[in-house]
Amino acid sequence: MAIFIIRRLLWSVVLLVFVTFLTFLIFVVLPSADPALLRAGRNPTPEIIASIRKTLGLDQPWYVQYFKYLRNLVLHFDFGYSYQNFLSVKETIFPRMPATISLALGGAVVWLLIGIPVGILSAVKRGTFIERFAMGAALVGISAPVYWLGLVSIYLFSTDIGKFPIFDATGNYANPWDDFGRWLSSLILPWIVLAVSFAAIYARFMRSNLIEVLDEDYIRTARAKGLVERRVILRHGVRSAITPIVTIFGLDLGILLGGAILTETVFNIPGIGRTAFDAIQKSDLPVVQGTVLIGATAIVLFNLIVDVLYGFIDPRVRY
């Protein structure tokens, strides 16, 4: 197991270096707009543009620019500076990470608490009204776009414009260490909206996996030995059926930690996704590049965690 973890760590480092090169190529080398022109503002003179290019090192070959960027990123965690406000990208992104982490982790807890039990119940009660109702509701949840569901929930339940004012929905986010009650109330509705489609997907995955597992020989053997049906399902069935769920959970959580753009935009949450959305609108390439790298790092990290967890969740998997 230790050798496998070390190998995966090294491979993750190689993958992250490749991602930095790819994002640098896309955002610095390939753009049709000159980064110096984007930073120069309105009606710049050729002398100002030339000065900015020299200051940013854009007059040097692209490979020299990339190695400088990689060196600053590795040694100083420096993503560069914004074209719009000339602030450090790190100072722009990092203060917004707690909001994104709060949204992603809270939404993940909600969709796991809903999706996994519904999937298990549907598999155990297959062919009944309970299964048909649960899978029908899951289909509706998957079909509803997040931005539409968010706007509808604001219209119905927001304390400012809602027909049934229950939750603080937009513009009321606060840091949990400053005002925990306000932080909690401002995220309840976004957590529910974010969790709806994920819970539906996880319920369908869990149901199909568990139905397949319950037909295996070792499940019939466990029942023949006289084990209680609840233990057969939870101890033997769910433990094997949940392995693919762990895979997609790692990917989903990594993607959300890179920014839930639609949810953060609809509910006006100052997270990484909202920052990326604003940066895209303003063609602020360094900020967009920084958010992409944060998201890629989160995905690679959670993939590594999932691979390690495989050996503990499923006894059939050993590295």
Side-chain angles (χ1 to χ4, degrees):
M1 179 67 79
I3 297 176
F4 168 77
I5 295 176
I6 294 174
R7 187 169 65 246
R8 287 291 295 154
L9 281 172
L10 295 176
W11 175 245
S12 298
V13 172
V14 173
L15 185 58
L16 286 175
V17 171
F18 175 75
V19 170
T20 61
F21 174 75
L22 189 61
T23 54
F24 179 86
L25 187 69
I26 293 173
F27 290 110
V28 178
V29 179
L30 297 182
S32 57
D34 188 352
L37 186 61
L38 293 173
R39 187 162 184 175
R42 297 181 179 179
N43 303 320
T45 63
E47 291 78 13
I48 292 178
I49 295 177
S51 176
I52 293 176
R53 288 184 61 84
K54 184 176 181 179
T55 301
L56 297 178
L58 299 176
D59 56 338
Q60 299 177 346
W62 67 267
Y63 51 86
V64 176
Q65 298 180 48
Y66 171 70
F67 281 113
K68 285 185 176 180
Y69 175 78
L70 187 62
R71 181 192 61 191
N72 293 333
L73 187 62
V74 173
L75 298 181
H76 308 290
F77 220 60
D78 183 7
F79 294 89
Y81 289 85
S82 168
Y83 291 159
Q84 298 296 323
N85 50 26
F86 309 109
L87 293 177
S88 169
V89 174
K90 180 171 64 175
E91 296 177 359
T92 303
I93 295 177
F94 279 27
R96 298 174 179 266
M97 289 185 66
T100 297
I101 293 174
S102 300
L103 177 63
L105 294 182
V109 171
V110 174
W111 84 59
L112 287 178
L113 291 178
I114 297 175
I116 300 300
V118 169
I120 296 173
L121 184 63
S122 300
V124 175
K125 301 291 185 180
R126 52 180 168 175
T128 64
F129 171 77
I130 295 177
E131 182 203 16
R132 290 192 292 270
F133 177 79
M135 291 301 100
L139 182 61
V140 173
I142 294 173
S143 304
V146 173
Y147 63 88
W148 176 83
L149 193 61
L151 293 175
V152 170
S153 64
I154 291 174
Y155 176 75
L156 292 177
F157 303 114
S158 174
T159 53
D160 47 4
I161 64 173
K163 299 299 182 181
F164 309 97
I166 301 176
F167 304 110
D168 293 332
T170 57
N172 294 316
Y173 178 82
N175 291 323
W177 45 85
D178 294 334
D179 190 340
F180 182 81
R182 182 180 171 188
W183 169 83
L184 183 62
S185 64
S186 66
L187 284 177
I188 291 177
L189 198 57
W191 283 342
I192 296 173
V193 170
L194 183 64
V196 165
S197 61
F198 285 101
I201 294 172
Y202 279 55
R204 293 176 68 89
F205 265 104
M206 192 68 209
R207 171 188 172 275
S208 60
N209 292 339
L210 187 56
I211 288 177
E212 182 179 351
V213 168
L214 290 179
D215 290 332
E216 295 288 339
D217 292 338
Y218 66 90
I219 297 294
R220 287 192 290 268
T221 302
R223 286 170 173 162
K225 291 169 63 177
L227 295 181
V228 180
E229 183 67 14
R230 178 181 298 178
R231 184 175 183 182
V232 172
I233 294 173
L234 298 180
R235 181 72 179 272
H236 299 280
V238 172
R239 187 174 181 180
S240 299
I242 206 171
T243 304
I245 305 296
V246 174
T247 302
I248 62 173
F249 178 72
L251 290 173
D252 290 338
L253 190 57
I255 292 172
L256 288 179
L257 288 176
I261 295 179
L262 293 177
T263 306
E264 291 179 2
T265 302
V266 169
F267 290 98
N268 196 24
I269 298 174
I272 298 176
R274 178 62 185 271
T275 303
F277 177 77
D278 294 338
I280 291 171
Q281 288 186 316
K282 299 175 182 178
S283 298
D284 199 348
L285 299 183
V287 177
V288 178
Q289 186 178 5
T291 57
V292 170
L293 290 179
I294 292 294
T297 303
I299 293 173
V300 171
L301 177 62
F302 276 95
N303 270 332
L304 176 63
I305 295 174
V306 166
D307 287 342
V308 175
L309 286 177
Y310 271 172
F312 298 97
I313 295 176
D314 193 339
R316 298 172 299 176
V317 178
R318 289 292 183 266
Y319 296 105

